[in-house]
Every structure is written in C-alpha cells, then in structure tokens.
Amino acid sequence: MGLFFAQLLTGLANAGALFMVASGLSLIFGVTRIVNFAHGSFYMLGAYVGYTLMQVLPGVVGFWGAVLLAGIIVGLIGVIVEICVLRPVYSAPELFQLVATFGVILVIQDLTLMIWGAEDLLGPRAPGLKGIVRIMDEPVPQYDLALIAITPFVAFALWYLITKTRVGILVRAATQDREMVGALGVNQSWLFTGVFFLGCALAGLGGAVQLPKGGADLLMDFNILTSVFVVVVIGGMGSLPGAYLAAVIISVLNVFGVSYMPKSTLVLMFLVMVVVLMFRPFGLFGREEVAGEHGQVGEPERPIKPAGLKIRLLVAAALVLLGLIPVMGSNFAVVLVTDILIFCLFAASLQFMLGMGGLVSFGHAAFFGGGAYVAALFVTYAHTPMELALILAPLGAGLAAVLIGWVCLRSTGVYFAMLTLAFAQLLWSLVFQWGDITGGDDGLVNIWPSAWASSNMVFFYLTLVICAGGILLLRHAAHSPFGYALRAARDSSRQAEAMGINTKRIQWVAFAFAGAMAGVAGGLFVFSKGSVFPNELEIARSFDALIVVFLGGVKTLSGGWVGGASFEATKDYLTRFEYWRLALGLLIIAVVILAPEGIVGSLRKLGERTGILNNAEDKR
Amino acid sequence: MLELKTVNAFYGKAHVLNDLSFTVGHGKVVALLGRNGAGKTTTMKSIMQMVQPRGGTVSYQGQDITGWAPHRVAKAGLGYVPEERRIFTQLTVLENLEVGRQPPREGCVTWTEEMLFELFPNLAERRGNRGKALSGGEQQMLTIARTLMGNPALVLLDEPSEGIAPVIVEQMAHVILKLKNEGLTVLLSEQNLHFAQAVADQVVIIESGTQKFAGSLADLQAHPEIRDAYLSV
C-alpha cells in the first residue's frame, strides 16, 4: 500500500512538466491551427537554458528564478520563430506550416548540440528540496512534493487567464473563428504571436522544472513529443482541464507500468489513447474540430489531369536515364538511387492518401517499417525466399492498415492524424520492447536478396521496375472512378454521401491501399540493406515522408516522388557535414517560405508564367 | 463617407464583382439589393478587405483603404455584421460583446453593454448564456450588438432580415432606424424589398456582380420595370 501510494505521488509529480508542455501545444493549436511539431524542442531548450542559468544564479531564489527565466527566454525564442518562420506561411495551405515547424526541430537540435555539446547534462538538485520524506515508510523526494503542489497553481493561473481575462476571451474567440475576430478590429498577428509566446514559455517552463528529475539531453525533444501528443489528444484539443487530467493519467500509468509491466510501458500509453478515442473521438473534454470551416485560405484546388504527351515523353526519358545508371554510374550511385527509389514509392503512397484522400497521417512509417519487418521476420524465422517475402510484405502492411484504418477513421482531422501517430508508435514500441522476436534495438540482420538478385545492379533494376510500377499504379488509381470517389469524399463528404458514395469505406480502402504500397517499399528496403531496425518505424521516419509530400506539393499528383527524390538526394549530400541538421532544417524552412505550393506546384506556376506550360483552365 | 470606385473581385478565376461604383453618404441608410448570388456579400467583404479587390479602390472618409488588413479597417470605424452571424458559440453573450469592444471614437456613440441590452431587451436576459443556446433572432441581435461594441461610424449589415421570424424582422427595422437617429451610417444588403423600403434612403441594385441601378428610393419606385427585372418581389 505504501509503495502504491508513493508511486502515485511520483506519477503526479511527473505530470507537472507534461501538463505544462501539453497545455502550451494545445493553446497554440487552438488559435493558430498549427500542429507545432517543434514543441518538444522548446521543452528541450527550456531544460538547457535552465541548466545554464542555474549554474550562474545562486541559492533558492536563483533556482526558481532560473526556472521562470528559462520559460520567458524560451517564450521569446518562440516569438522569433513565429515571426520569422511561421508568419510568412500562415496563408499557405492548411497543415503546410507543420513542415516549417519540423525544420525548426532540426535547427534547434543542431544549435543545442553546438552550444551545449553532446554530453547529457545532470540537472542540479533544487536547493532546500534535496532530501526525501518518508510517507508510509516509502521514500518520496521533497522535490516531487513541491512539483505536485506547484502544478495546480500553474494550471489555475492558466485557467484564469483563459476564462476570465480579455486576452483569454479573444484567444477562445479566435480558436473558433479567427477571421471574424480580425473583422472586429483585433490584430490577429499579435494575438498569434502572444499565444505562441505563452505556449513556448510553458514548454520551456516544463523543461526547466523537470531538470532535477531528468536533466537535459538531446533526445528530450522527440521523447516528450509523443507523450505530449497523446496527452493533448486524450484530454481533447484546446481543453486545459483535459490536458491536466490526461497528463496525470499518462504519468501515473507510466510509473506503474515501469514497476509492474516493464516491457509494455511504451505500449500502454497508446492503448489508453486508442481506447479513449474509440469512445470519445474528440478526447475526454474535446469538441469536434471545425478547422477550415471559416477562414479557409489559398486558391481553390485545381482538377488533376492525366499527363500530356510532353510530360509522358519526359517521364519515359527520365526512366531510360535511370535505367542507364548501373551502366554509366559508380556502384555508389547505384546504391544511392536504389535508396531514393524506395523512398519515392513510400512518399508516393502517403501522397496518394494525403493528397487524394485528404487523410493526413502522422504515422505512415508504420506500414513502411511494418512491411520491412514482415519480410524480415519471415526470412529470419521461416527462411522465406525473397520473392515470396516481397509479396508478404505489402500483404502484412496492408492487413495492418486495414485494422489501423478501421480505428483511425472513426476520427477526423487532427485526431485522425494523432491516432495514426499513436499506432505507428505502438508498432514501434512493440518491435522495440519485444526483443526476443524482433531483436529489439539490435534489429534483424542478414536478410539478403535471392542469389539472382544479389548484385547491386540486378537489385537496382528490380527496385526500379517495382517502384516505378508502384508509383504508376498509384497514379492510375487516382484517375480511376475509385480516385474520383476518394476526392469527392475529401472535398465534400456530405455531398459525396448524398450521392451514394460510402465515404468511410472509400477512405478505408485508400488507407489500406496506401499502407500496402508503403509495405512494398518497406520490403524492398530490407533486402537492399540486409537488415532492419526499429527506427524504420519511428516518428522521424513518418515525418520524413510527410515533409517530402508537403515539400513536393500536396495538391499535385507527382509531389510525392519528386519531393522524395529531392529530399533523399539532398539529405545524402548534407549528412556528410557535421551540422547537417541545421543546414537541412534551414533548407526546409526556406522551401516552405519561398515555395508554399511545394516544389511541383511552384515549378508549374513558374512554367505557366513563363509560357513553357499551358494552363488548361485558361485555354477553355 | 464610403466610396467604391470600379471595384472588381474574384474567387480564384471566377469574376464576382465587376466595376462596382457607388457612394454611401454620411448618416444615410443605403440598401444593396440583389438576388441570391448577385454579389452582395462579396461587396461587403470587399469593403472590409476580407476579400481583397483586384482592381478599383475603396475609400473611407477620403482615405484609400484598399489592401488594408481587415482589423485595420474595423479600427478605422467600419463595423461588419456578417450574414452567417458567426457569433462565438462557445462564449457567453457578455464575452461575445467583449470581443467586439474597441476604444471610444470621436463623433460616435460609445456603446456600453447596458445600452445594448436596452436596444435588444431579449439579450439582457441571456447575458450569461453561451452563444449556441441562442435562437436565430437572438444570434442576429448579438451579432449587431457585438459590432456596435466597436463604436463604429459605419455599419455594414449583411442581410439582417434573413432567416428570422417576421416579428423580429420588424424589430430589426426599428433598430436600424434608431441607429440612423444616433447618427450612424448604414450599408445593408437585402433581398427583401419591403424591408429595404422601410429603412433605406438610397438603393443600389446589383445583378451578377454588375451594378444595375443606383438612386433614391423614390427613383426606384418611379421605375417599376427595374424592380421587376432584378428583384424577386
């Protein structure tokens, strides 16, 4: 009983930082509609900045002063990010901004590495709270008790700000209809900046306040990001009490998980989330999202059309050129292009779901990595030949997509996105923690192609045929009646329903199809590398695909593979440098600002302006 | 007070407003008439710069406001009451009013919550209720009241009589005349000619984004053929 109670207290203490970060994310999303992927990075910055301040400032006042100052400084960094990176892209298509925030993650990672170095920092203990208290004979750190006491005050202050002050009223009004708030004379830009400051300051505060418990390291940003997303989704986007309750649930669960089921800690959190969303699709205290109903921005979408003769010839020529690579190029080029081709198919499969279906998935890596693991497991345990494994990979990934899609499609919008992320993480944690079967962190190795395909050249041609075929198949599907129905469901699900289209089923099929195609890419990936590790299922992998699709151009058919090719090639080049993340991050931000319609969309515009391409609509 | 000169507006490639030119004089009530889809709402939004005109100018008190951000237009003294009402359903009546609050403006009435509750007695009883609990008529009143909290000199009323009960339509007409007496200038869009006749000094008729008539109410009554051609009576 004593141990139980002590663990409960630890959970409550851990909930503090989690709540602060989650409420900041929730606030920012509510007003700006930006899913701030970089929120974990602000949390990490809070820890590092706090650490440095604590070295300088002495005593009890110094410690708590450092925590507060860290929050303010991180808030100001958030303001800089908002003004320099996000303001230029508010008018871009919805969700495009999240690519920019991903760029911010990379930049902050490398800047932190530059300033504070790669060593993990051990957090200083809070002066005056270094001891432990015996509660029911169990030791409980004093600092934990302090955190348990402080968090409700932070929560109350936030609640007061949001419900009782004019600023809070404006924030809540803007959450619902920001265009109308502007028409009533409120300068939205400053409202946005203010909310960003507050949200980032909360994240920074969370990072600084947990220093005595967790210290500071370079993996903090992604580590907290998943929990924060889960908390926000369970609590309901935009709900402060929801965020608090969910933070407590998740933290307590984690503490108990560690002591009673150490192998399932990571899985538990997502299981809770899935269960909550099954019964309350918008979280415990959330409301249905009406994003985009008012204040829809950007010009209307163009109808997609089959490629003209010119483009077809161009593609054919490009394929021939690709086919010549093993003959002309070096062995390195062959391997690199194989990687790029595989990634292109993966990106194209997400593009299909996202662009054609409007289904924004944050967890597409589940099917890429899933396919990879299916193939690897069959080869390892059943000595399945490559040919069969390459068929089983998409089947396995497709089956997973059928199941995951069934659950995820009960939600829409950002909840859908979060659910897909949760499932991807669920798969990742399964693979990561179930080491006996999957090899855990060590992965599965020695998975090589059949003898006939074992040379790089033959495997290259195999990849070229399968990937080009897969991309063409996805393209073909977009032009088929199924593709029409899918776009109808995306653009106007009610009208589509009224016309007799079962929109949910169409989306489900699209989800499964895209999953299977990602599985094909995953299968090829295993055999090209000879091994697979859990990081193929990671969030970072899902985000890679997402970034690529947005950078390529969501509203174009070819955005996926064009973005994929550019991204992989650039990444391959940049990773040779020490601070490649910084360079890649800045590059991503630059593309987002300069080409808000993605590479393909912007090139097309440029072509039309210069007269190289005809605009079909003008001709009519 | 407000002048539109050859204003053109587009949605993507669709040409919605075509060379619209009219003026709204100080202290007048002008009715913008036209059928559904004629471009009335777009005209209103073009004035507020919520739709940025491509070609032409909108000037307010002699100042060119084309290309301004909507919040600047509102701060200059234009109050916009959208057709779809767009009240903040999760906020209470009082909180909705708070969103609209702006500092007092020289030469204009400085509205307080109590004055507005006098103007709209129904709202007074519901001040603590959330917007979503209000009836259509009450929501319409709240939208007007919210805009008045900004102490505007000119109010743009987009179809104030649409979708509300006849009794309340009558009440609306009274309110508009009261506002006129307080010295406010009003531009309202309408499909309902009877309602316009009850309140307006001047009439502008548009059809497919093109201006077909501009003149006094008496002029329009002298030309019944115009009325029959462009308005469904």
Side-chain angles (χ1 to χ4, degrees), chain B residues 6 9 11 21 29 34 39 48 50 54 64 75 86 88 90 119 125 141 147 149-150 169 174 182 184 193 203 210 229:
Chain B
T6 60
Y11 284 130
S21 301
V29 175
M48 281 309 287
M50 292 162 82
R54 278 197 248 163
D64 185 358
K75 277 218 158 50
R86 291 167 73 165
F88 305 108
Q90 298 297 329
L119 192 63
E125 303 151 24
M141 291 173 197
T147 302
M149 280 300 283
V169 172
H174 280 299
E182 300 274 6
L184 257 83
L193 183 61
V203 175
T210 314

Side-chain angles (χ1 to χ4, degrees), chain A residues 22 175 214 256 456 500 514 518 536:
Chain A
T175 303
F256 283 112
N456 280 342
E536 294 317 319

Side-chain angles (χ1 to χ4, degrees), chain B residues 60 74 77-79 105 108-109 111 147-155 184:
Chain B
Y60 169 69
L78 271 81
R105 190 185 315 282
C108 299
V109 190
W111 295 91
T147 302
L148 290 177
M149 280 300 283
N151 311 314
L154 191 158
V155 182
L184 257 83

Side-chain angles (χ1 to χ4, degrees), chain B residues 105-165:
Chain B
R105 190 185 315 282
E106 210 181 311
C108 299
V109 190
T110 305
W111 295 91
T112 62
E113 284 92 343
E114 289 314 314
M115 287 162 71
L116 290 167
F117 288 147
E118 223 166 275
L119 192 63
F120 301 107
N122 306 37
L123 289 182
E125 303 151 24
R126 318 215 55 175
R127 60 184 82 193
N129 287 82
R130 285 191 189 219
K132 64 178 174 191
L134 269 52
S135 73
E138 287 166 341
Q139 291 194 357
Q140 181 68 61
M141 291 173 197
L142 179 57
T143 338
I144 298 176
R146 182 179 66 180
T147 302
L148 290 177
M149 280 300 283
N151 311 314
L154 191 158
V155 182
L156 307 171
L157 279 176
D158 202 359
E159 304 218 16
S161 74
E162 191 183 272
I164 51 178

Side-chain angles (χ1 to χ4, degrees), chain A residues 376-456:
Chain A
L377 287 170
F378 270 108
V379 172
T380 308
Y381 293 103
H383 305 288
T384 312
M386 178 189 80
E387 297 78 4
L388 187 58
L390 279 182
I391 296 170
L392 288 170
L395 281 180
L399 190 68
V402 166
L403 293 174
I404 294 175
W406 181 74
V407 180
C408 294
L409 284 166
R410 300 162 76 98
S411 301
T412 51
V414 75
Y415 288 93
F416 169 83
M418 296 290 182
L419 264 178
T420 53
L421 178 88
F423 273 106
Q425 280 301 98
L426 188 67
L427 273 185
W428 175 81
S429 5
L430 268 178
V431 167
F432 191 81
Q433 292 194 319
W434 200 8
D436 300 344
I437 303 290
T438 60
D441 209 11
D442 300 329
L444 293 168
V445 291
N446 280 328
I447 301 141
W448 297 108
S450 303
W452 63 269
S454 60
S455 87
N456 280 342

Side-chain angles (χ1 to χ4, degrees), chain B residues 2-7 20-23 43 47 57-59:
Chain B
L2 180 75
E3 184 173 17
L4 280 77
K5 261 192 209 149
T6 60
V7 167
L20 226 55
S21 301
F22 63 87
T23 55
T43 308
I47 296 171
T57 56
V58 179
S59 33

Side-chain angles (χ1 to χ4, degrees), chain A residues 65-121:
Chain A
V67 169
L68 271 183
L69 261 179
I72 292 171
I73 291 173
V74 172
L76 291 175
I77 297 173
V79 168
I80 295 173
V81 168
E82 198 269 347
I83 290 178
C84 299
V85 179
L86 295 174
R87 271 201 193 176
V89 293
Y90 278 133
S91 55
E94 213 161 321
L95 285 173
F96 194 65
Q97 295 89 351
L98 61 85
V99 181
T101 65
F102 194 81
V104 173
I105 294 185
L106 295 173
V107 171
I108 291 182
Q109 258 174 2
D110 261 5
L111 288 181
T112 313
L113 177 65
M114 274 181 190
I115 299 171
W116 284 282
E119 293 273 320
D120 290 1
L121 302 179

Side-chain angles (χ1 to χ4, degrees), chain B residues 156-203:
Chain B
L156 307 171
L157 279 176
D158 202 359
E159 304 218 16
S161 74
E162 191 183 272
I164 51 178
V167 185
I168 302 185
V169 172
E170 212 168 293
Q171 221 177 319
M172 276 307 159
H174 280 299
V175 167
I176 291 168
L177 289 175
K178 252 190 216 170
L179 294 181
K180 189 186 167 188
N181 282 339
E182 300 274 6
L184 257 83
T185 310
V186 178
L187 173 64
L188 64 99
S189 75
E190 261 311 322
Q191 291 187 56
N192 181 339
L193 183 61
H194 298 296
F195 185 79
Q197 278 171 338
V199 295
D201 306 305
Q202 304 272 324
V203 175

